[in-house]
Amino acid sequence: MVEVPMRNGHEIFQFANHVVKGRWFSLFASFLIMAGAGATYLFGTYSKEIKASLGYDQTTLNLLGFFKDVGANVGVFSGLIAEVTPTWFVLLVGAAMNFTGYFMIWLSVVGNIPKPKVWHMCIYICLGANSQNFANTGALVTSVRNFPESRGNMIGLLKGFTGLSGAIMTQLYLAVYGNDSKSLILLIAWLPAAVSVIFVYTIREMRVVKQPNQLRVFYYCLTIAIVLALFLMVMTLVEKAVAFSHAAYVVTATVACALLFLPLLVFVREELDVFRRKNLPIDPTEDPPIVLEKEDNSITLEIKKDDTNSKCFWFTDIFFNKPERGDDYSILQALLSTDMLILFLATFCGLGTSLTAVDNLGQIGESLGYPTTTIKSFVSLLSIWNFFGRIFSGFVSETLLVKYKFPRPLMMTLVLLLSCIGMLLIAFPFPGSVYVASVIIGFSFGAQLPLLFSIISELFGLKYYSTLFNCGQLASPLGSYILNVKVTGPLYDRQALKELAKKGLTRSSVKELTCIGNQCYRQAFIILASVAFFGALASLILVARTRNFYKGDIYKKFRGQAEATEAEMASTNTNRIH
């Protein structure tokens, strides 16, 4: 291809404007927003500060964990807002909620305001965690619609950066504030909100245009993300073994940020190719180039017109005259379908048990006698392997689906079976078993989310995806409440009271109710392992129901749309030149 050099400042400005308004820069901004949208996974790091400073027992702390999970997973509100407002509004609302919720928690923990009531803290953490859904809806849904044929890769990358956010935030707070878990809450309050505000106008839905090297670009991003994850994992282990100075923490945080920004170079190169092709003269003997016109360079709010065949609220259409799998379901048609109910049950079991394990990881390490620095390593390892799970389930499931027609629900079944092993390692611990359990639980937890989001988009279409994918994870906080607040917390507290009774003490004798020993979580995690196994069986039923659908070409219509857009844009460009 003949290169067109940048001849003057005006052309350089045109190119910069082209990059900022392009699809790839929108995706880069989505990466950064998603990398800050995983504050809920750091609960295991700062929860002990809340417990100690406010004098909570484990049941009360688990109640806070439940409201965190409610906020993080009840995203129907953000989905419905996204149906009728532009993406920038969704992101701004999320930024305001994030700052307000976590800033109030920080003020409570450091004692700058009077000690709040428990229900106040529940509202604060629910509000802060719910902002994650606005980031998901604004960044993830928009990116999936912009790259529908690569949705598995796309969701895997975006949710992978969210999975890494815990480790990234840890490096940043160590560099900015030092080893102070209370200041971590402050960082969680302002940093994700600031990122959303900075990039608020760059994320928007654009017309689908097929690019032949699109998959290669995603694999470049995958490689960068894996390098970042490995770097964070190595730093986590080194920081555990060696005492780092503040300057060393600054260096590690700088390297992490540099790797996080590295995909921008890949995307600028792609936009440079597009920009140069736009400025090449057309050879009539060659095929016209693919050009990105106004659809990539303007912010528009599209008013969606109802299709009477896809959006009907009559009883018969909801329950009997549903579209084929893969077509656009209405919201009620999807929510009341058998496939969604089965997926809801599998999500209840899978994410419910995983969230319970994640929320209790700090106390699990404490009960087994691990030092505080090691417990923080568990949380970072879980965050990093959460990333690998998301990347694996996104890219591997996409490859297996396209090449071998391997259904995503079957991978969901395998992931839930793996989760059972992690739960049993905590129920029956041995030296070092929590390290292995952190890896397994983090991996399986991370793998479930891209699979869930991809399956919903494939079975029920993309027209109402912003609402449906948020509805699909409603089972997660319900599972967390039952399994965490009603099962794990009371069983832990009951065992802790037994330990106090052996010492001749009562609950009023201690400020913080703590259990030490292998028996503290044994019964609870045996129950969790059983529930995860039941979820795997439910997922297997969905495999049987959708086997014929996944044997077909599920991306056929999106390829047709992309080809039509290519032809239209090429024709427009030809007319403009002539």
Side-chain angles (χ1 to χ4, degrees), residues 143-212:
S143 298
V144 169
R145 285 173 173 166
N146 287 340
F147 300 90
E149 285 187 68
S150 303
R151 70 187 67 180
N153 301 331
M154 178 65 54
I155 295 174
L157 276 171
L158 289 169
K159 298 304 292 183
F161 278 108
T162 304
L164 277 182
S165 64
I168 294 172
M169 289 277 196
T170 298
Q171 294 300 321
L172 290 176
Y173 104 84
L174 289 171
V176 177
Y177 297 107
N179 195 5
D180 178 11
S181 297
K182 294 180 181 179
S183 296
L184 173 60
I185 304 174
L186 179 60
L187 183 73
I188 291 170
W190 68 263
L191 183 58
V195 172
S196 291
V197 171
I198 291 171
F199 293 102
V200 68
Y201 286 116
T202 63
I203 299 177
R204 63 202 181 281
E205 188 174 344
M206 305 172 192
R207 297 184 67 178
V208 177
V209 179
K210 186 177 181 180
Q211 291 182 241

Side-chain angles (χ1 to χ4, degrees), residues 373-394:
T373 54
T374 303
I375 293 172
K376 291 181 179 179
S377 298
F378 293 153
V379 176
S380 292
L381 281 174
L382 186 142
S383 176
I384 292 167
W385 282 94
N386 188 351
F387 159 80
F388 281 118
R390 294 169 186 226
I391 289 293
F392 177 87
S393 67

Side-chain angles (χ1 to χ4, degrees), residues 317-445:
D317 288 316
I318 292 173
F319 290 99
F320 300 107
N321 298 332
K322 294 181 179 179
E324 295 293 326
R325 288 190 179 96
D327 292 339
D328 290 326
Y329 279 57
S330 72
I331 295 174
L332 286 179
Q333 283 174 335
L335 295 182
L336 298 177
S337 68
T338 304
D339 289 345
M340 183 66 88
L341 294 177
I342 296 172
L343 198 56
F344 185 92
L345 180 59
T347 304
F348 172 92
C349 297
L351 291 180
T353 54
S354 296
L355 281 171
T356 300
V358 170
D359 289 346
N360 286 274
L361 189 59
Q363 281 67 44
I364 290 169
E366 182 184 38
S367 69
L368 296 176
Y370 289 97
T372 301
T373 54
T374 303
I375 293 172
K376 291 181 179 179
S377 298
F378 293 153
V379 176
S380 292
L381 281 174
L382 186 142
S383 176
I384 292 167
W385 282 94
N386 188 351
F387 159 80
F388 281 118
R390 294 169 186 226
I391 289 293
F392 177 87
S393 67
F395 277 79
V396 174
S397 71
E398 188 75 18
T399 301
L400 293 177
L401 175 64
V402 172
K403 290 188 175 181
Y404 307 107
K405 306 299 182 183
F406 189 90
R408 283 193 226 267
L410 182 55
M411 181 165 283
M412 175 76 83
T413 302
L414 299 177
V415 165
L416 292 178
L417 291 175
L418 178 64
S419 180
C420 295
I421 298 175
M423 304 296 172
L424 292 175
L425 286 175
I426 294 177
F428 302 99
F430 54 84
S433 65
V434 182
Y435 284 101
V436 181
S438 298
V439 170
I440 291 177
I441 292 172
F443 182 88
S444 59
F445 179 40

Side-chain angles (χ1 to χ4, degrees), residues 64-79:
L64 284 183
F66 162 70
F67 275 92
K68 169 189 68 70
D69 296 336
V70 167
N73 293 283
V74 180
V76 178
F77 184 55
S78 64

Side-chain angles (χ1 to χ4, degrees), residues 195-241:
V195 172
S196 291
V197 171
I198 291 171
F199 293 102
V200 68
Y201 286 116
T202 63
I203 299 177
R204 63 202 181 281
E205 188 174 344
M206 305 172 192
R207 297 184 67 178
V208 177
V209 179
K210 186 177 181 180
Q211 291 182 241
N213 61 337
Q214 182 171 291
L215 184 60
R216 185 184 66 186
V217 175
F218 287 142
Y219 275 101
Y220 284 150
C221 295
L222 172 64
T223 302
I224 293 170
I226 290 175
V227 171
L228 174 59
L230 292 175
F231 171 77
L232 291 171
M233 183 170 64
V234 170
M235 287 300 99
T236 298
L237 296 176
V238 171
E239 287 166 3
K240 172 181 174 294

Side-chain angles (χ1 to χ4, degrees), residues 32-47:
L32 295 186
I33 287 176
M34 296 298 285
T40 54
Y41 306 130
L42 284 168
F43 185 73
T45 299
Y46 64 79
S47 60

Side-chain angles (χ1 to χ4, degrees), residues 481-530:
Y481 177 75
I482 294 175
L483 298 172
N484 196 5
V485 179
K486 294 298 184 183
V487 176
T488 303
L491 288 175
Y492 175 95
D493 287 340
R494 186 172 69 182
Q495 191 63 43
L497 290 173
K498 288 182 180 179
E499 298 298 320
L500 282 179
K502 290 179 182 179
K503 299 176 183 178
L505 301 174
T506 62
R507 174 67 182 91
S508 59
S509 304
V510 293
K511 178 182 178 181
E512 182 181 347
L513 189 59
T514 304
C515 177
I516 303 295
N518 295 350
Q519 72 286 350
C520 296
Y521 281 99
R522 175 163 296 166
Q523 187 176 355
F525 272 78
I526 291 174
I527 295 173
L528 294 179
S530 302

